[in-house]
Amino acid sequence: MFQNPVVPARLARRLPVVAGLAAGSVLLLAAPAFAHVSVQPGQAEQGGYATINFKVPNERDNASTVKLEVTLPTDHPLASAMPQPVPGWQIEITRSKLDKPIETHGKKLTEAVSKITWTADGGKIEPGQFQQFPVSVGQLPKTDQLVFKALQTYDNKEVVRWIEMPRKGEPEPNNPAPVLKLTPASGDGHGSAGAGAKNGGGSDEAAQTAAADGSDTTARVLGGVGILVGIIGVGFGVLAGRRRGA
């Protein structure tokens, strides 16, 4: 049967375009995963201590982040929440009276940290950059998660409210609140996160490096797939050009 050689040639010429569009679409779908304010590592042990980082990416290309306000949970208050100094940022700690006192190390506490605010003082998070704000917290309560609602303020006065709770079986909300998952204690109940907090945070830093943020990992995988598809498309285009030349 006669085959028209023009059809495969046209198809080959179109493949790079289609592949490029596919790669761009994948990268566009992956990009929002990097834009969320999140808490890292995303998991810690109940009953222990941990140093967590609030990772704040700048998701605007025409403004810089100059303020972060993190509200600590009041349904499961933390006996201790100590932020680490961050160069170029002022820290304000708000304490509130507890409806029900909590006991730690044999002492009853009637108030706890309810909000931590970082305000730019010479520093800022510029477009295309992110900043981490470390906080040592504990003892972590016996619950499955802690929700830290956050407000991100830009120098153009825009405020992004990271306060939405994801619901099981539904798509992730546009502005999800940072969530720290808590798991039952193992060993002595302190875990590696607790040891890291006591020894200057070394183990916490290792845990943060090893722990993959789910959304970031997904975005990187999708981005890699998109790039691979684009490369394959370019290869088809080059091959088609050589056939036409022959």
Side-chain angles (χ1 to χ4, degrees):
M1 181 180 291
F2 174 76
Q3 293 183 352
N4 186 356
V6 177
V7 175
R10 287 178 178 175
L11 179 60
R13 288 197 301 270
R14 291 176 181 175
L15 278 174
V17 177
V18 175
L21 290 174
S25 299
V26 170
L27 292 175
L28 286 173
L29 288 172
F34 289 100
H36 297 166
V37 171
S38 60
V39 58
Q40 298 183 349
Q43 182 174 296
E45 288 188 358
Q46 300 170 0
Y49 292 81
T51 298
I52 58 177
N53 287 278
F54 292 99
K55 181 180 178 182
V56 184
N58 190 329
E59 58 175 7
R60 300 291 182 262
D61 56 9
N62 59 352
S64 297
T65 297
V66 293
K67 188 177 183 180
L68 173 69
E69 301 171 73
V70 174
T71 299
L72 278 64
T74 55
D75 53 345
H76 295 286
L78 296 169
S80 175
M82 297 183 296
Q84 178 178 314
V86 179
W89 296 79
Q90 289 185 344
I91 301 174
E92 180 183 353
I93 298 176
T94 302
R95 304 181 68 89
S96 300
K97 188 175 181 179
L98 300 175
D99 295 333
K100 182 180 179 181
I102 56 177
E103 187 171 337
T104 178
H105 301 298
K107 296 182 180 180
K108 285 189 176 183
L109 301 179
T110 59
E111 64 176 21
V113 176
S114 57
K115 185 169 69 172
I116 303 176
T117 303
W118 291 266
T119 304
D121 183 21
K124 59 183 176 180
I125 309 174
E126 298 181 351
Q129 299 181 357
F130 74 91
Q131 177 68 54
Q132 296 195 93
F133 299 91
V135 181
S136 175
V137 295
Q139 286 181 304
L140 296 173
K142 293 183 178 181
T143 184
D144 59 348
Q145 65 180 22
L146 293 177
V147 179
F148 300 90
K149 295 183 178 182
L151 302 182
Q152 180 181 10
T153 302
Y154 290 88
D155 56 10
N156 62 359
K157 307 303 181 182
E158 178 189 6
V159 178
V160 181
R161 300 169 61 84
W162 302 98
I163 62 173
E164 298 179 79
M165 279 296 298
R167 296 181 179 179
K168 189 175 181 179
E170 295 185 7
E172 185 180 50
N174 292 329
N175 299 96
V179 175
L180 176 65
K181 301 291 184 181
L182 298 180
T183 60
S186 61
D188 60 1
H190 292 294
S192 59
K198 292 181 180 179
N199 296 317
S203 296
D204 285 326
E205 293 175 3
Q208 292 157 17
T209 302
D213 179 75
S215 60
D216 283 1
T217 300
T218 302
R220 288 170 185 161
V221 171
L222 291 175
V225 171
I227 293 172
L228 180 60
V229 172
I231 292 173
I232 294 173
V234 171
F236 273 112
V238 172
L239 181 60
R242 288 179 177 175
R243 288 179 176 175
R244 290 197 303 274

